[in-house]
């Protein structure tokens, strides 16, 4: 299993992302720098700035919401990231919450899984990637409802783009196995990945005769230190997700009772259920081993809670202690 790093903040200035790009550039244990959806600076622009500043590190997104972009624009951004960094870009997409859909579209996706599949198909078509009959298959009886690809973009030389889907529940996991290059999770405990996500992704891939796409897990982590409150760190890292019904439903399916109307209980449940790794660096290394054993190909370390409360230096201190603890682990 590879380890990667999430920029643990939504940068208000591009310079705020530099310490984390530097860590990936100089740390051999980290494979990629990731960024989530941003309502500040566009992630593709941030990665382009970092490349120009001397940090052309492999980049990815987990995940960008489809109500904000057309597939052609997504394809343009994705191949730009690949071209400017000189590395294959992994760009993840998802439908977002119903609140986001209504705010940006004036309505909601009646079938968000179908919308996500159409988005990936359309973006792949715009990229003019090699023909994949499962991705490009179209039925005259069922024309695209949400996204139409249009013509491929004019060719540009780049190292390649992998298109991922944000995965919470079994149906999205199965379709990710059919059409995506990566299935990207958020808050999902290792046990849920082992029992549900990885098997469903594999089953989806097998049903269409293709290799299983990679499973990428975003893992919330924080080193236990005197004076720190793990409940506080959960709220700072994932509080906005814990109140959303689709995340609550996924956690219930994972055996984590995280009530949307009780933030303290939800945070404690997430910690005890393995959705937020809090402890010594060696404890966290052991917990990460469970993700590897579950079939995860890449774990993205998310230190947003630590960064929000204590700043960049503390976040990097946690990161380097975790990396030191995992240096001798063979996944």
């Amino acid at each position: 299993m590879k380890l990667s790093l999430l920029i643990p903040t939504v940068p208000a200035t591009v310079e705020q992302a530099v310490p984390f790009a530097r860590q990936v550039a100089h740390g051999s244990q980290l494979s990629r720098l990731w960024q989530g959806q941003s309502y500040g600076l566009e992630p593709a622009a941030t990665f382009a700035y970092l490349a120009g500043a001397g940090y052309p590190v492999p980049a990815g997104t987990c995940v960008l919401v489809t109500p904000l972009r057309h597939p052609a624009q997504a394809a343009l951004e994705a191949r730009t990231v690949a071209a400017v960094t000189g590395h294959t870009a992994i760009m993840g997409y998802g439908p977002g919450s119903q609140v986001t859909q209504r705010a940006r579209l004036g309505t909601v996706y009646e079938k968000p899984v179908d919308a996500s599949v159409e988005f990936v198909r359309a973006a792949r078509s715009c990229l003019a990637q090699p023909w994949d009959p499962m991705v490009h298959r179209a039925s005259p009886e069922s024309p695209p409802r949400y996204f139409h690809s249009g013509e491929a973009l004019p060719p540009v030389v780049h190292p390649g783009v992998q298109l991922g889907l944000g995965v919470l529940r079994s149906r999205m996991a199965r379709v990710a196995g059919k059409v995506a290059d990566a299935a990207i999770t958020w808050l999902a405990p290792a046990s849920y990945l082992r029992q549900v996500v990885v098997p469903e992704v594999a089953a989806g891939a097998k049903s269409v005769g293709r290799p299983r796409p990679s499973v990428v897990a975003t893992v919330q982590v924080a080193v236990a230190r005197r004076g720190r409150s793990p409940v506080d760190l959960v709220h700072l890292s994932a509080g906005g997700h814990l109140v959303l019904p689709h995340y609550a439903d996924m956690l219930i399916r994972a055996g984590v009772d995280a009530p949307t109307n009780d933030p303290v209980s939800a945070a404690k449940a997430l910690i005890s259920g393995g959705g937020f790794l809090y402890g010594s660096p060696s404890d966290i290394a052991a917990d990460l081993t469970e993700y590897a054993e579950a079939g995860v190909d890449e774990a993205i370390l998310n230190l947003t809670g630590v960064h929000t409360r204590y700043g960049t230096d503390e976040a990097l201190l946690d990161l380097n202690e975790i990396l030191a603890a995992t240096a001798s682990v063979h996944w």
Side-chain angles (χ1 to χ4, degrees), residues 24 43 158 192 218 225 231 292-293 300 304:
V24 175
H158 60 86
Y192 180 71
T218 310
R225 301 188 191 279
V231 170
E293 293 173 348
I300 307 169
T304 297

Side-chain angles (χ1 to χ4, degrees), residues 121-162:
R121 286 175 170 165
R124 195 183 303 278
S125 178
C126 291
L127 286 165
Q129 292 187 344
W131 181 264
D132 181 339
M134 293 310 303
V135 173
H136 294 277
R137 183 192 305 176
S139 169
E141 292 77 26
S142 301
R145 176 176 180 181
Y146 300 101
F147 298 105
H148 175 67
S149 61
E151 296 181 356
L153 296 169
V156 168
V157 176
H158 60 86
V161 171
Q162 295 183 11

Side-chain angles (χ1 to χ4, degrees), residues 249-294:
D249 181 72
M250 178 274 290
L251 289 170
I252 289 172
R253 294 168 188 264
V256 178
D257 184 10
T260 57
N261 61 350
D262 187 346
V264 172
S265 295
K268 290 180 178 178
L270 188 66
I271 296 167
S272 63
F276 187 100
L277 307 186
Y278 183 78
S280 68
S282 59
D283 291 336
I284 293 172
D287 290 338
L288 287 170
T289 299
E290 294 186 21
Y291 282 85
E293 293 173 348

Side-chain angles (χ1 to χ4, degrees), residues 26 77 79 99 175 210 212 216 220 253 256 271 276:
H26 297 162
E77 293 169 357
R79 76 177 189 185
V99 172
V175 300
R210 67 192 294 253
R212 175 177 77 78
V216 181
Q220 328 281 323
R253 294 168 188 264
V256 178
I271 296 167
F276 187 100

Side-chain angles (χ1 to χ4, degrees), residues 156-240:
V156 168
V157 176
H158 60 86
V161 171
Q162 295 183 11
L163 299 176
L165 277 176
V167 169
L168 289 181
R169 291 169 285 195
S170 58
R171 185 164 178 240
M172 188 71 89
R174 187 169 285 254
V175 300
K178 293 180 179 181
V179 306
D181 301 307
I184 305 170
T185 69
W186 188 277
L187 292 187
S191 58
Y192 180 71
L193 294 173
R194 181 180 65 254
Q195 296 166 8
V196 177
V197 172
V198 173
E200 288 289 351
V201 173
K206 183 178 181 180
S207 71
V208 296
R210 67 192 294 253
R212 175 177 77 78
S214 61
V215 176
V216 181
T218 310
V219 186
Q220 328 281 323
V221 297
V223 173
R225 301 188 191 279
R226 179 176 299 178
R228 286 187 177 181
S229 163
V231 170
D232 178 51
L233 295 176
V234 168
H235 288 314
L236 293 171
S237 180

Side-chain angles (χ1 to χ4, degrees), residues 12-76:
T13 67
V14 285
E15 290 81 6
Q16 291 176 338
V18 168
F20 308 104
R22 183 184 298 123
Q23 190 76 34
V24 175
H26 297 162
S28 59
Q29 286 175 261
L30 294 172
S31 297
R32 188 173 298 271
L33 184 67
W34 293 77
Q35 186 174 358
Q37 174 60 56
S38 170
Y39 291 96
L41 304 181
E42 169 59 42
T46 298
F47 291 134
Y49 169 86
L50 292 171
Y55 303 102
V57 297
T61 60
C62 57
V63 299
L64 306 180
V65 295
T66 58
L68 287 180
R69 48 187 45 81
H70 187 278
Q73 180 63 29
L76 186 61

